[in-house]
Amino acid sequence: MSLSFDRHRRLRQTAAIRAMVRETHLRVDDLIYPLFVVEGSGIRREVPSMPGVYHLSLDRLTEEIDEIAKLGIRAVMVFGVPDEKDEVGSQAYCETGIVQRAIRQIKAERSEMVVIADTCLCEYTSHGHCGVVENEQVLNDPSLELLVKTAVSQAQAGADIIAPSNMMDGFVAAIRHGLDEAGFENVPIMSYAIKYASAFYGPFRDAADSAPQFGDRKTYQMDPANRLEAFREAESDIKEGADFLMVKPALAYMDIIRDIKNRFPLPLVAYNVSGEYSMVKAAAQNGWIDEKSVVMEMLTGMKRAGADLIITYFAKDVARWLAE
């Protein structure tokens, strides 16, 4: 019997051949590791809903940064959890705020480390929203003024990249103008351009103590059902001066990552968020999945979808696995 068919398995015969023809590669240089810095001393406290992720006081930050650097991770994103909060989140833009002090410390100890500052107000406001609130409404334009102050203070502290995550209209334009006026025209903006009002953020709000005290964030974060809206958001941010675009979350939004990559030329960041992390950790701890295999497949999928960089709480684990 004579048959004619393609033999695709020829290129799968050995590990060496499979490696030769592999199309998508996950590298340690693709990884950004989030850090949660807190007031106090001697604190390295695990976040209950995020095994392996810690609140760190500044005196414990050095050992963490040293470990990150030794693993070959080149970039960190800094989140702050202040002791004091108020209606306008004043600790977000205070010269001696927790994030500003952390940035200075990291850059003093590891000048080569890329320090990305999350620029938002929710961790710092008593109401937990990402802007100025009046009659339980988040006001857009007054919020921009505070976000600009926050971005400039972070740049003054030495942040290499400003990453605004608030989803206010015009936030990139306002921050770009504010940075330029303050002499930081060379500091890039990594915009949380496409940030959905997602159920996957729960563990982060535990880590950052940033849950809203009333209502939700659906009036400023995007509806998970929407795709075309992502194009409008990305296009606006590019016009306003963004240097990177971000899609958040990543796992349930692979189609959006690919859409944005196909349409826009800027470097694209995927945020592998806390809920995605915690689900995998919980399943692994119960013995239901092989953590390493699942994480590597998941993050490789994000790269295959079009992400150039991945913010992930798995960064240290992945760096170790890649080194193996």
Side-chain angles (χ1 to χ4, degrees), residues 204-226:
F204 174 89
R205 291 172 183 172
D206 182 20
D209 188 26
S210 62
Q213 298 303 300
F214 64 88
D216 52 42
R217 295 181 177 144
K218 293 180 179 178
T219 64
Y220 45 102
Q221 295 176 0
M222 288 174 50
D223 185 337
N226 289 358

Side-chain angles (χ1 to χ4, degrees), residues 93-284:
Y93 44 87
C94 178
E95 183 180 349
T96 57
I98 185 64
V99 162
Q100 286 77 2
R101 282 181 284 147
I103 293 168
R104 291 189 187 97
Q105 180 174 323
I106 296 169
K107 294 304 292 185
E109 295 171 354
R110 293 274 180 178
S111 60
E112 76 283 2
M113 182 74 69
V114 176
V115 178
I116 305 166
D118 177 78
T119 306
C120 198
L121 300 175
C122 60
E123 300 106 301
Y124 308 93
T125 55
S126 53
H127 46 71
H129 280 283
C130 304
V132 176
V133 170
E134 187 176 292
N135 298 323
E136 296 196 353
Q137 297 293 317
V138 180
L139 305 182
N140 195 90
D141 295 7
S143 299
L144 296 180
E145 297 176 20
L146 301 184
L147 292 166
V148 171
K149 291 173 67 174
T150 301
V152 170
S153 73
Q154 293 168 337
Q156 289 170 337
D160 297 290
I161 299 172
I162 298 298
S165 60
N166 53 88
M167 288 296 285
M168 296 294 111
D169 289 338
F171 69 102
V172 173
I175 289 172
R176 182 73 272 159
H177 179 72
L179 289 172
D180 291 353
E181 278 203 330
F184 296 107
E185 61 273 3
N186 291 323
V187 172
I189 294 175
M190 179 184 287
S191 172
Y192 286 65
I194 298 131
K195 182 177 180 181
Y196 286 91
S198 172
F200 284 97
Y201 301 150
F204 174 89
R205 291 172 183 172
D206 182 20
D209 188 26
S210 62
Q213 298 303 300
F214 64 88
D216 52 42
R217 295 181 177 144
K218 293 180 179 178
T219 64
Y220 45 102
Q221 295 176 0
M222 288 174 50
D223 185 337
N226 289 358
R227 173 174 172 263
L228 299 180
E229 184 180 4
F231 305 154
R232 300 196 295 271
E233 289 282 0
E235 187 172 11
S236 293
D237 286 6
I238 291 173
K239 288 178 180 177
E240 292 174 15
D243 301 283
F244 300 79
L245 297 175
M246 188 189 301
V247 175
K248 180 183 180 183
L251 195 57
Y253 299 89
M254 296 282 205
D255 59 323
I256 305 300
I257 294 172
R258 172 46 57 191
D259 280 338
I260 297 301
K261 186 64 176 178
N262 286 345
R263 287 172 176 260
F264 303 103
L266 295 189
L268 182 58
V269 185
Y271 198 145
N272 175 213
V273 299
S274 60
E276 298 164 359
Y277 173 86
S278 296
M279 288 191 304
V280 172
K281 282 290 185 182

Side-chain angles (χ1 to χ4, degrees), residues 80-102:
V81 185
D83 277 349
E84 298 179 6
K85 303 189 179 195
D86 56 35
E87 287 291 305
V88 293
S90 59
Q91 285 297 306
Y93 44 87
C94 178
E95 183 180 349
T96 57
I98 185 64
V99 162
Q100 286 77 2
R101 282 181 284 147

